């Protein structure tokens, strides 16, 4: 079910399939709005803006916006990110992100599994604060414009998706330089890493996931643990692919909100998905073990 | 829902409305409709 939603969401966000003929990006009205996940708006098929790219664009032009009195400082994108986080926490990561889906598919390749150390899970917060917020604000040219540094230096989904333009505008290939080689290297690193680790980009770099993760503890959609039903078998923790123990850590910023702990792993119905006041008990929990 | 959640929801709605009033969606459309050389690793 989740993979089906991920595929549908990926297709829906990249539904402009006329680009091989038009040889341009989609420029229609839908691009006024952001996708909730990292989906590069320079992907020729993208029909929505990327929230990270949009946020950086606004932050990079704060000084000119103030100087010229437009005051377009990115209020709407901040409000949008706040709203997505408040409703679902990292739900968008687990269910809607195309790059997350790609990493999960790569992780299905049979290989040894390497669990990502917890210390690396702080890096996304550094990327968010440094590359997404501070550098675009601080490093500006003579006209007062900054750069989208996260896009420029690392963003693997952007490298992958924007590279689609090289297929339709071959002239752009002549302008490739060390910057592209660096970004392609970062992308290759994460795609290779995804074979042995579960969604390494999401766990160690994604600033958007870091931001949404801050809302995991109080979002409308969340996982709830019922100690009365729990038999402490530990199946949820053993099954969690980001190495959390959902009995204690269901509000952790690292939780991708895949809900597999509640819907696949807990045999006792002790973990439930909650949407505000509504509770959805695990459908796969055997009925005989639900009541205790 | 806690008071913090409702305060956050109110703030989100206010920020989206303010951005819309200032014309930010149109700016976002222009930003996203240009080929982003940073995204493509050019420059």
């Amino acid at each position: 079910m989740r993979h089906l939603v991920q595929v549908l969401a990926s297709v829906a966000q990249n539904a402009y399939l006329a680009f091989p003929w038009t040889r341009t990006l989609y420029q229609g009205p839908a691009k006024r709005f952001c996708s909730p996940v990292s989906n590069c708006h320079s992907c020729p098929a993208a029909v929505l803006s990327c929230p990270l790219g949009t946020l950086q664009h606004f932050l990079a032009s704060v000084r000119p916006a103030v100087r010229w009195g437009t005051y377009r400082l990115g209020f709407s994108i901040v409000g949008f990110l706040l709203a997505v986080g408040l409703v679902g926490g990292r739900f968008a990561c687990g269910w809607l992100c195309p790059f997350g889906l790609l990493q999960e598919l790569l992780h299905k390749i049979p290989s040894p599994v390497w669990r990502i150390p917890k210390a690396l899970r702080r890096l996304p917060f550094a990327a968010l604060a440094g590359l997404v917020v501070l550098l675009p604000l601080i490093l500006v040219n003579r006209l007062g414009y900054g750069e989208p540094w996260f896009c420029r230096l690392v963003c693997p989904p952007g490298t992958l998706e924007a590279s689609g333009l090289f297929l339709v505008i071959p002239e752009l290939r002549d302008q490739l330089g060390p910057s592209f080689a660096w970004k392609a290297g970062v992308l290759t690193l994460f795609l290779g890493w995804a074979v042995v680790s579960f969604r390494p980009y999401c766990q160690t770099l994604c600033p958007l996931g870091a931001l949404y993760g801050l809302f995991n503890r109080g979002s409308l959609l969340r996982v709830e643990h019922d100690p009365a039903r729990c038999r402490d078998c530990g199946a949820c923790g053993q099954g969690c692919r980001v190495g959390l123990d959902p009995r204690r850590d269901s509000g952790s910023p690292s939780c991708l909100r895949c809900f597999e702990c509640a819907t696949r792993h807990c045999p006792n119905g002790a973990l439930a998905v909650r949407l505000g006041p509504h509770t959805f008990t695990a459908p796969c929990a055997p009925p005989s073990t639900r009541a205790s | 829902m806690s008071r913090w959640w409702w305060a956050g929801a109110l703030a989100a709605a206010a920020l989206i409305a303010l951005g819309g009033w200032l014309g930010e969606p149109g700016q976002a459309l222009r930003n996203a409709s240009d080929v982003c050389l940073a995204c493509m690793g050019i420059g």
Side-chain angles (χ1 to χ4, degrees), chain A residues 30-119:
Chain A
K31 244 179 180 171
R32 291 169 186 269
F33 305 101
C34 282
S35 155
V37 295
S38 289
N39 189 75
C40 185
H41 49 221
S42 273
C43 171
V47 294
L48 297 167
S49 293
C50 171
L52 276 181
T54 304
L55 179 62
Q56 288 173 89
H57 271 295
F58 278 114
L59 293 176
S61 57
V62 158
R63 293 174 203 212
V66 172
R67 191 188 313 140
W68 295 341
T70 65
Y71 296 103
R72 291 177 189 147
L73 308 181
F75 298 110
S76 54
I77 180 64
V78 173
F80 174 74
L81 295 173
L82 188 57
V84 174
L86 284 168
V87 172
R90 290 192 78 167
F91 171 78
C93 302
W95 290 73
L96 306 176
C97 181
F99 197 69
L101 171 64
L102 174 63
Q103 291 175 89
E104 289 188 35
L105 293 176
L106 287 170
H107 195 55
K108 289 185 184 297
I109 297 172
S111 69
V113 174
W114 185 60
R115 287 221 164 175
I116 294 171
K118 287 191 174 173

Side-chain angles (χ1 to χ4, degrees), chain A residues 155-193:
Chain A
C155 186
T159 312
L160 181 68
E161 294 164 1
S163 295
L165 264 180
F166 295 131
L167 301 175
V168 292
I169 311 177
E171 305 81 59
L172 285 171
R173 286 184 214 158
D174 300 335
Q175 300 177 44
L176 295 182
S179 178
F180 179 76
W182 164 258
K183 282 194 67 181
V186 173
L187 171 64
T188 307
L189 169 74
F190 278 102
L191 293 183
W193 191 358

Side-chain angles (χ1 to χ4, degrees), chain A:
Chain A
M1 161 93 170
R2 189 171 68 87
H3 286 326
L4 176 65
V5 174
Q6 285 176 300
V7 169
L8 292 175
S10 301
V11 172
Q13 291 171 78
N14 297 287
Y16 182 62
L17 301 179
F19 70 86
W21 295 278
T22 61
R23 287 169 55 93
T24 184
L25 301 175
Y26 170 75
Q27 297 175 335
K31 244 179 180 171
R32 291 169 186 269
F33 305 101
C34 282
S35 155
V37 295
S38 289
N39 189 75
C40 185
H41 49 221
S42 273
C43 171
V47 294
L48 297 167
S49 293
C50 171
L52 276 181
T54 304
L55 179 62
Q56 288 173 89
H57 271 295
F58 278 114
L59 293 176
S61 57
V62 158
R63 293 174 203 212
V66 172
R67 191 188 313 140
W68 295 341
T70 65
Y71 296 103
R72 291 177 189 147
L73 308 181
F75 298 110
S76 54
I77 180 64
V78 173
F80 174 74
L81 295 173
L82 188 57
V84 174
L86 284 168
V87 172
R90 290 192 78 167
F91 171 78
C93 302
W95 290 73
L96 306 176
C97 181
F99 197 69
L101 171 64
L102 174 63
Q103 291 175 89
E104 289 188 35
L105 293 176
L106 287 170
H107 195 55
K108 289 185 184 297
I109 297 172
S111 69
V113 174
W114 185 60
R115 287 221 164 175
I116 294 171
K118 287 191 174 173
L120 294 180
R121 295 188 190 159
R122 295 185 182 174
L123 291 177
F125 295 102
L128 174 65
L131 296 174
V132 175
V133 177
L134 292 178
L135 285 187
L137 276 173
I138 295 169
L139 291 184
V140 295
N141 62 19
R142 281 177 301 150
L143 299 174
Y145 286 101
E147 291 261 4
W149 285 103
F150 183 77
C151 302
R152 181 165 288 289
L153 292 179
V154 281
C155 186
T159 312
L160 181 68
E161 294 164 1
S163 295
L165 264 180
F166 295 131
L167 301 175
V168 292
I169 311 177
E171 305 81 59
L172 285 171
R173 286 184 214 158
D174 300 335
Q175 300 177 44
L176 295 182
S179 178
F180 179 76
W182 164 258
K183 282 194 67 181
V186 173
L187 171 64
T188 307
L189 169 74
F190 278 102
L191 293 183
W193 191 358
V195 176
V196 294
S197 298
F198 184 74
R199 295 181 64 157
Y201 170 69
C202 312
Q203 294 195 61
T204 67
L205 190 60
C206 181
L208 198 55
L211 185 65
Y212 289 152
L214 296 174
F215 297 93
N216 264 356
R217 202 165 292 282
S219 62
L220 206 60
L221 190 62
R222 61 187 183 275
V223 174
E224 195 165 80
H225 176 234
D226 181 357
R229 287 184 169 182
C230 183
R231 294 177 183 174
D232 279 327
C233 66
C236 53
Q238 287 165 12
C240 178
R241 290 193 280 179
V242 291
L244 298 175
D245 184 341
R247 291 170 294 182
R248 293 189 302 270
D249 305 330
S250 65
S252 162
S254 300
C255 173
L256 294 173
R257 288 286 189 262
C258 67
F259 300 130
E260 287 183 4
C261 54
T263 58
R264 287 183 64 180
H265 302 307
C266 178
N268 306 311
L271 293 166
V273 179
R274 284 201 73 165
L275 177 63
H278 306 288
T279 303
F280 304 94
T281 312
C284 68
S288 59
T289 61
R290 277 189 173 186
S292 59

